[in-house]
Amino acid sequence: TQQFSPKLADNTSTEQKIKVLGDYDTTLKRSRALNTKPKGISVFDFDDTLAKTKEKVIVIDANGNVSEISAAKFAEQAIELEESGATFDFTNFENVSKGTQKGPLADLALRRQGKFGSKDIFVLTARPQIAATGIKTFLDGIGLNIPLKNITGLENGSPQAKANWVISKTAEGYND
């Protein structure tokens, strides 16, 4: 597994390893192909991107101390915290709070929907997958009608988790 770091975490199952490494292989083959048709994709984070959110991630450090940090701080600090033995509780993120406002890239997503439709617009978030319904409800409320299947909650804040998801999409043929 060491030779595949950092693409694969130590706790990755064999099936997950095969899938992720297969996606990398497929992506590399597709990238070398000539005359490939463009296939566009738009991927947005949710917290502080499509929505200005107030929910906090619960952090339990190695000593059992509990604290809360913002989604932005979680994105910055997740790897360091995890390396120090911290675990995370995303219970606060299972729903989208009332009063949540549009985020800084919501209008861009709406313009993309107007130009290309929403079938190739995705939301990729560190929130748990259970939050997808609440996210969809919020997005529908601002006029962004993304299919529920296009909302992925990783419950993982590492950049590599998001990178592996993006690679899974390039393996499906998205290249623009």
Side-chain angles (χ1 to χ4, degrees), residues 3-166:
Q3 66 190 12
F4 301 119
S5 271
K7 291 176 186 67
L8 303 170
D10 290 337
N11 62 350
T12 305
S13 71
T14 301
E15 292 80 17
Q16 289 171 314
K17 290 175 185 175
I18 292 168
K19 166 86 171 86
V20 170
L21 295 175
D23 287 344
Y24 275 86
D25 285 344
T26 300
T27 295
L28 286 170
K29 287 175 190 168
R30 287 180 181 273
S31 71
R32 292 184 193 111
L34 302 174
N35 301 325
T36 303
K37 282 182 151 182
K39 184 176 180 183
I41 186 171
S42 296
V43 182
F44 295 92
D45 188 25
F46 182 69
D47 295 289
D48 300 327
T49 303
L50 292 177
K52 292 181 186 172
T53 55
K54 297 178 179 106
E55 291 89 359
K56 305 250 185 211
V57 176
I58 300 167
V59 180
I60 303 106
D61 71 17
N63 298 322
N65 299 316
V66 178
S67 61
E68 292 185 344
I69 59 174
S70 69
K73 289 283 185 202
F74 175 73
E76 293 171 11
Q77 300 174 1
I79 293 173
E80 293 169 21
L81 289 167
E82 200 166 38
E83 287 174 353
S84 70
T87 57
F88 309 106
D89 179 341
F90 295 93
T91 306
N92 295 340
F93 287 87
E94 291 177 2
N95 295 300
V96 178
S97 297
K98 288 184 178 53
T100 298
Q101 301 294 314
K102 282 175 34 175
L105 295 184
D107 289 334
L108 173 62
L110 288 164
R111 285 192 304 273
R112 296 251 170 104
Q113 175 182 258
K115 187 172 182 178
F116 303 110
S118 62
K119 72 178 180 55
D120 295 316
I121 298 175
F122 295 83
V123 174
L124 183 61
T125 179
R127 287 178 179 234
Q129 186 60 35
I130 195 170
T133 302
I135 290 170
K136 177 155 179 48
T137 300
F138 170 80
L139 295 174
D140 285 348
I142 64 168
L144 188 56
N145 306 112
I146 296 173
L148 184 61
K149 68 182 173 82
N150 288 15
I151 301 172
T152 301
L154 294 173
E155 198 165 336
N156 184 331
S158 76
Q160 192 60 53
K162 286 189 175 183
N164 288 347
W165 182 90
V166 170

